[in-house]
Amino acid sequence: MNMQAPKSFQKEDARPKVLGVTKDGVKILRPKFPPKNFTERELRDAVAKALETSPAKSA
Amino acid sequence: MNAADVFINCPFSRDYDTHFKAIVFVVIRSGFNPRCAREDDDVGDIRYEKICRIIAECKFGVHDISYTGLYDGPAGDADFPLPRFNMPLELGLFLGAKKFGGDVQAKKKIVVFDRDEHRFRKFISDISGSDIKAHNNNTTDLITTLATWLRHVSQRRTVPGPAAMLAEYRSFTEVLPVLCASQTLLPEEVEYHDYVWMVSEWMRQRAQ
C-alpha cells in the first residue's frame, strides 16, 4: 500500500506576519483571520482605552 | 506545515469556555498562532476536511480529552447517554498525520490534557507513552502546564515562565469585560476571532 503523504503535507511554512514584539522578545503574530464584531481600528482604540485605566502595563 | 501554528483540540461548550480562552492566551503569548475548528469556512469545507487541513498545517497540537464521558442528549432520546468522541477522533487524526505524513509531519509535537494523569488508561490506553498532563479541571494548572510545555518543546527561552504567564492572564481577564463592553458584549459572548485579536492587540500595546 502506498503510504506516501500528499505533497501539501510536505511543505514547510512561509514566515508568519508579526503584529508586535513584547518587552521580553516574544513575537506576537498577526491573527490569520479578521475580527468579526470589530474593525481593527475599533479594537486598537478599545484596547488603548482599557489600558489607560488598567494598572497593569508592563510586558 | 507551520512551525508557529498550534492546533487546539478541545470541547467548544460553554462550560469549557474559560479553559479554551486560557489556552488561546498562552499560545499567543508564547509567540504562536492558535488554530482550531472554529476558524472560518473560507473554502466551503465540510468540517472533517477543514480539521484535516488545519492539522496538516500545525506543528504543535494541544489536545484536551477531559470531556470524554457519557452525556445526556435531548429528553426522550433513548440512544443517550452517549460519549463525545470528537476530541479523541481529532487526537487520532493528529497522531496519524505525525505517524504517516512523511518527514515534515513527523516533526509534530503533541500534548494531551485530561482531568487527572491516569484516567486515560481506562478508555484510551493505547496512547500510553505520549505526553499526558493533568489540568485537574482548573485553569491555573492548565496555563502553567501548557506554558511549561510550549517553552520546552519549542526551545524558545523567550516564552514566559508559568508564574509570569499566569499573572499576565489574570491582568488580561481584568480588562476583557471592558473590551467586550465597547461592543456591548459580555466576555462569554465574544467570538473566537475577536478574542484572538483582543489578546494579540492587548499584548502589542502593553509592550509599548
Side-chain angles (χ1 to χ4, degrees):
Chain A
M1 188 163 57
N2 181 10
M3 295 300 287
Q4 187 65 39
K7 283 249 160 52
S8 61
F9 267 46
Q10 304 292 349
K11 276 195 246 166
E12 291 280 6
D13 53 319
R15 280 187 182 278
K17 289 180 183 160
V18 176
L19 188 69
V21 181
T22 62
K23 286 177 183 165
D24 52 12
V26 174
K27 289 176 184 165
I28 302 302
L29 304 181
R30 184 179 170 79
K32 284 182 181 271
F33 298 94
K36 287 207 163 174
N37 293 295
F38 297 77
T39 64
E40 286 185 35
R41 184 180 189 114
E42 284 171 344
L43 253 166
R44 274 199 302 273
D45 292 347
V47 171
K49 203 171 170 185
L51 276 172
E52 271 173 26
T53 55
S54 166
K57 193 189 175 183
S58 61
Chain B
M1 187 170 76
N2 298 318
D5 284 7
V6 178
F7 178 65
I8 302 171
N9 168 24
C10 70
F12 294 137
S13 50
R14 190 157 275 219
D15 56 350
Y16 190 84
D17 196 52
T18 307
H19 283 16
F20 176 67
K21 285 190 166 82
I23 294 172
V24 171
F25 182 94
V26 173
V27 168
I28 295 172
R29 183 61 180 90
S30 303
F32 296 92
N33 253 327
R35 308 287 309 274
C36 71
R38 279 183 166 172
E39 288 178 7
D40 277 339
D41 293 328
D42 55 350
V43 288
D45 283 344
I46 62 167
R47 189 179 170 89
Y48 176 77
E49 295 298 333
K50 176 168 77 170
I51 290 167
C52 288
R53 178 173 48 79
I54 297 170
I55 285 175
E57 290 171 3
C58 293
K59 177 171 181 179
F60 300 97
V62 178
H63 303 263
D64 189 334
I65 55 172
S66 63
Y67 273 39
T68 308
L70 293 176
Y71 293 88
D72 290 328
D77 190 333
D79 286 334
F80 285 90
L82 287 170
R84 288 180 184 166
F85 268 177
N86 282 332
M87 278 73 70
L89 171 68
E90 291 174 30
L91 170 60
L93 278 172
F94 202 97
L95 290 166
K98 179 178 167 70
K99 183 77 177 173
F100 303 115
D103 293 345
V104 173
Q105 294 289 319
K107 294 174 188 165
K108 281 180 172 334
K109 304 282 184 190
I110 297 169
V111 66
V112 181
F113 282 98
D114 198 2
R115 278 177 248 165
D116 68 58
E117 225 167 308
H118 306 294
R119 192 184 75 116
F120 76 95
R121 292 195 179 124
K122 297 173 187 165
F123 65 95
I124 190 168
S125 58
D126 284 358
I127 62 168
S128 296
S130 304
D131 211 352
I132 316 285
K133 311 280 188 195
H135 58 48
N136 304 307
N137 247 346
N138 80 64
T139 312
T140 300
D141 286 1
L142 181 59
I143 289 171
T144 54
T145 308
L146 180 57
T148 304
W149 181 79
L150 270 175
R151 186 183 166 98
H152 174 70
V153 295
S154 68
Q155 296 183 332
R156 294 183 185 177
R157 294 292 161 254
T158 51
V159 173
M165 187 69 82
L166 190 59
E168 280 196 43
Y169 178 69
R170 286 179 176 153
S171 296
F172 177 73
T173 55
E174 284 172 19
V175 302
L176 181 61
V178 181
L179 297 178
C180 296
S182 69
Q183 292 294 317
T184 60
L185 293 168
L186 295 169
E188 58 269 29
E189 293 168 338
V190 68
E191 288 194 44
Y192 170 67
H193 295 88
D194 293 336
Y195 180 74
V196 170
W197 269 96
M198 284 176 185
V199 173
S200 306
E201 185 59 29
W202 179 79
M203 287 171 187
R204 187 187 73 80
Q205 289 194 29
R206 202 163 172 252
Q208 289 176 344

